[in-house]
Each structure stands twice: as structure tokens, then as C-alpha cells.
Amino acid sequence: MKKKTLRRRSFCMAVVLFAASIPMAQTYAKTTEQQLNEAQQQQQETQQELEGVKDNLSSLEGQRNELQEELSNLNDQLNEVRANLERIEENLDLKESEIEQTQALLAEAREVELEQYESMKERIRFMYENGETTYLEMLFSANGFADFLNRSEYIEQIERYDRRKLEEYQETCLLIEQQEELLNEELAGLQELREEARVEQERVDTLVAETSQRVAGYSDQISDTEAQMRAYEAELARQNDNIEALKAQLAEERRLAALAAASAWRDISEVQFEESDRYLLANLIYCEAGGEPYEGKVAVGAVVINRMLSRVFPDTMVGVIYARRQFSPVASGRLALALSRNDATESCYRAADEAMSGRTNVSDCLFFRTPIDGIDPRYRIGGHIFY
């Protein structure tokens, strides 16, 4: 009968250690294998997110490169517009200089025209009004008909000369005025071109500024995305370290499971309880199952005692409860707080007494937690499953 009990206990030990679940207060730890599976799933999700970030980074870089190329083209356009504007300004300066020269020539021609006109008037006045000499006197004082004809032709030549000179100067003024008008038209055209060039320069300047701002915006997004990518890479490295640690822990638990399957259990009579064990166990029961029915409290106490009876776990209450990563109220500080105030209720103390006396309502189960998929419990009491 005793051998049968030992075999059954060994089989249970092998199964539960394979699951490697860690009990916690209210929220209970999962088995190492479950943690490993979840960690690997999270790593896959992180890797997918990282790939998405890389794709986004590649897209952002592509868009930034396109904008930089567009910005380069705009800068080329801007340089061309500025060069064109400079040429127009130079042409305007030349045209204004030509107009000034033409206006100076026109003023000079008009002055010469006026001088010629005044000279002609002066000669006429001299010939007709100065002294007693008149055209008639010049003609009638001729020494003969031939002389008369010569003097008449001379007077006519003077008149023709004066008239020709006057007409020449008038024609020169007209040509200069026409040239001035043409230059003014060209000047107006150049001024219009300058205005158009300035408008174009302003337009391209605006595009350059806007595109530069967009490039800067993409650069900021790229910097943020690169930082996000580095964060994902760091998270992947951390997850990988965690996975390796879980794999090592799972291998150790499997080793312990195999060892437990081949090991004998202690008898309750072999366990030595310290005076403080009752106080410690009652407060742990309070932290783990304070809201559970009484039988649930007894079951939690029984799990602790079963671990003390197993050759795989420590044989002391303190060793079992304070084993690394076993009971979360220890790590969270909740047990220490409960111990400092003695939060354990009367029912928690009764449950501790029953468990320490050897009573178990969960056979030789070593683990408990809230129900989850993937674990077939041997017992279900209150909100906990035991296995």
C-alpha cells in the first residue's frame, strides 16, 4: 500500500513539475513552459513590429530622398531664376543708361535746332532789318545782269541752307524721340520681366522653404523611427535573454521532475516545525487565499506541507515559502506586511493547524493557481485549481 502511494505521488510529482506553475496571490504565475511559449510568442510579435518599423523607416527614407531630390531641383530652379533676374537687372541698368544717353542726345539736338532756328532768324533780321541793306538793295546794286543773278542765287542758297539745316535737326529730333520711345517700351518690357522674375523667385523660394521643412519633418520622423527600432531591438535582445533563461529554468524543472519521479517522499513525522511556522503559514494562507472558502485555505496550506514532504523541495517551512520565485507575496512584500500586522484571520490559523497536522484535501498536489487553459486540475476548490 505504501509503495502504491509512493508511485502515485511520484507520478503526480513528475506531472506537476513538468507544468512548473508558480503560485501567486490573486494573480498566479504560469508554468515555465507556458512562460516560455508566451515569451517566444511575444518575441515573434516584437520581431513583426520591428519589421513593420523597419518598413516604415525604409518608406520614410524613400520619401525623404524624393523630397531631397525635389529640393535639389527647386534649388536649381531658384538659382536659374536668380541668375535670370540678375540678367534682367543688368539689362534694365543698360536700358536706363541708353535712355539717359538718348535723352541727352535729344536735348542736345533740340538745343542745336533751337540755335539753328535762332541763327536763321538772326540772319533774316540782319538782312531785312539791320541798317539800310536789304535784299532789294543787294539785288539792285548789282553791276550787271549776271551779277544780279549771282546775288539772287546766293540769297536763295542761304535760305535753302537754313531750311535744310532746320529740317535736318527736326528730323534728328524726331528720330531721337522715336528711339527714346522704343527704349522706353523696351524698358517697360524689362520691368515687366523683372516683376515676373521676382514673382517666380518668391514662388520658388516658398517651395524651397516648404520642401525644406518637409525634409526636416521626415528627418525628425526618421530619427524617432530609428530610436523606436533601437528600442525594439533592445526589447528583442531582452526577450531573447529571458527566453534563454526560461529554457534553462525549464530544463532544470524537467531535471527536477525526473528526479522527483525517482525519489521518495518524506513522512510527516520526519518534518520538524519551528514555533514561528504556524504564524508564517497562516499569514501566507491569508495572502494567497484570504478570500477563498475555508477548504480552499486548507488546500493552500496542504500544498506548502506537500512541498516540505517532497525530497525535491526544502524540508523547512521557511525554505519552502521563501524559495526563489515560488510565492509572489514574498517578492511583492505583501507577506512581510501581513506578518508585521498579523493579518491572518482565525480561519487562516485553523487551516494552517490542519495542514501542519497532515491533513490534505488535495492529495499530494504541489501547485495551485487560478484556472487556465492547458492545465487539467486534479482538484478545483473555490477560485483555484490544484495539480
Side-chain angles (χ1 to χ4, degrees):
M1 184 70 164
K2 184 176 182 180
K3 290 181 179 180
K4 185 177 180 180
T5 302
L6 286 175
R7 284 197 301 270
R8 181 168 54 82
R9 288 182 173 179
S10 296
F11 175 76
C12 178
M13 186 67 180
V15 172
V16 296
L17 282 180
F18 230 91
S21 174
I22 304 173
M24 302 174 65
Q26 305 308 320
T27 302
Y28 298 89
K30 299 176 182 179
T31 66
T32 300
E33 189 168 10
Q34 289 172 325
Q35 292 180 53
L36 176 59
N37 291 336
E38 289 186 359
Q40 290 173 331
Q41 178 63 31
Q42 289 174 358
Q43 187 184 46
Q44 291 178 359
E45 293 174 356
T46 302
Q47 183 64 44
Q48 291 174 353
E49 291 172 354
L50 175 60
E51 293 302 322
V53 170
K54 288 182 176 179
D55 291 341
N56 186 36
L57 178 62
S58 178
S59 175
L60 287 171
E61 289 175 337
Q63 294 178 63
R64 183 182 65 177
N65 292 339
E66 290 179 0
L67 281 175
Q68 286 176 331
E69 183 176 355
E70 180 181 343
L71 180 61
S72 177
N73 293 333
L74 286 171
N75 281 321
D76 291 341
Q77 292 180 32
L78 183 60
N79 291 333
E80 185 177 345
V81 170
R82 286 173 176 169
N84 183 44
L85 184 57
E86 288 177 1
R87 288 192 298 270
I88 293 173
E89 294 285 0
E90 291 174 358
N91 291 334
L92 276 170
D93 291 340
L94 291 174
K95 196 61 62 178
E96 288 173 349
S97 177
E98 289 179 15
I99 290 174
E100 289 178 0
Q101 294 175 3
T102 302
Q103 288 174 340
L105 289 174
L106 179 61
E108 183 180 349
R110 285 173 176 168
E111 185 177 348
V112 172
E113 177 190 2
L114 181 60
E115 290 177 355
Q116 180 64 26
Y117 180 68
E118 291 297 329
S119 297
M120 185 180 67
K121 288 196 303 182
E122 188 67 24
R123 278 192 295 272
I124 294 172
R125 186 181 302 113
F126 174 79
M127 295 177 67
Y128 286 97
E129 299 176 2
N130 188 23
E132 298 177 353
T133 303
T134 64
Y135 276 122
L136 291 176
E137 288 177 344
M138 288 180 63
L139 292 174
F140 292 135
S141 63
N143 295 324
F145 185 71
D147 186 27
F148 176 85
L149 292 176
N150 287 334
R151 292 187 181 191
S152 176
E153 185 179 356
Y154 171 72
I155 293 171
E156 187 178 349
Q157 286 177 352
I158 291 175
E159 290 179 350
R160 284 200 303 267
Y161 173 80
D162 286 338
R163 183 171 297 278
R164 186 175 66 253
K165 283 297 182 181
L166 183 60
E167 290 175 352
E168 285 177 0
Y169 289 127
Q170 288 176 342
E171 184 177 352
T172 300
C173 289
L174 178 61
L175 291 174
I176 294 174
E177 288 175 352
Q178 291 174 348
Q179 181 66 21
E180 181 184 23
E181 184 179 356
L182 178 61
L183 290 173
N184 282 324
E185 289 177 358
E186 292 176 354
L187 178 65
L190 286 171
Q191 289 173 337
E192 185 177 349
L193 288 175
R194 180 177 62 183
E195 185 61 28
E196 291 175 356
R198 286 176 175 173
V199 171
E200 179 66 10
Q201 180 181 8
E202 183 177 351
R203 185 187 72 82
V204 179
D205 269 332
T206 301
L207 288 175
V208 168
E210 291 175 351
T211 306
S212 297
Q213 187 174 3
R214 291 173 64 192
V215 169
Y218 274 108
S219 295
D220 291 341
Q221 290 184 56
I222 287 171
S223 296
D224 293 342
T225 305
E226 287 175 341
Q228 188 179 10
M229 183 177 68
R230 289 192 294 270
Y232 274 118
E233 289 173 343
E235 177 64 15
L236 275 176
R238 186 196 67 76
Q239 290 175 342
N240 187 66
D241 292 342
N242 183 48
I243 287 172
E244 293 303 317
L246 288 172
K247 286 180 178 178
Q249 181 179 339
L250 181 59
E252 176 63 12
E253 289 178 355
R254 286 173 175 170
R255 185 187 70 80
L256 291 176
L259 181 63
S263 300
W265 282 47
R266 305 181 186 94
D267 187 77
I268 189 69
S269 62
E270 300 177 51
V271 176
Q272 297 294 323
F273 293 106
E274 301 294 333
E275 291 184 5
S276 60
D277 285 352
R278 178 175 181 266
Y279 184 80
L280 177 61
L281 180 58
N283 278 279
L284 177 68
I285 291 172
Y286 170 79
C287 291
E288 294 282 16
E292 295 295 314
Y294 178 72
E295 288 301 312
K297 294 180 176 63
V298 173
V300 169
V303 167
V304 175
I305 300 303
N306 284 343
R307 290 194 181 192
M308 294 177 65
L309 298 178
S310 169
R311 298 285 182 181
V312 178
F313 291 89
D315 61 354
T316 64
M317 183 77 70
V318 171
V320 167
I321 291 178
Y322 287 97
R324 182 173 177 269
R325 297 180 64 182
Q326 294 302 302
F327 295 93
S328 66
V330 175
S332 68
R334 187 180 176 200
L335 177 60
L337 182 61
L339 289 170
S340 68
R341 302 184 306 200
N342 190 21
D343 288 336
T345 61
E346 184 274 335
S347 62
C348 292
Y349 275 103
R350 282 195 296 115
D353 291 337
E354 289 206 52
M356 292 173 66
S357 70
R359 184 200 166 196
T360 174
N361 55 354
V362 289
S363 186
D364 51 6
C365 290
L366 298 173
F367 300 94
F368 70 93
R369 59 157 297 119
T370 54
I372 62 170
D373 294 334
I375 294 182
D376 295 326
R378 294 172 61 190
Y379 300 93
R380 184 186 296 269
I381 303 175
H384 291 154
I385 58 174
F386 296 82
Y387 48 99

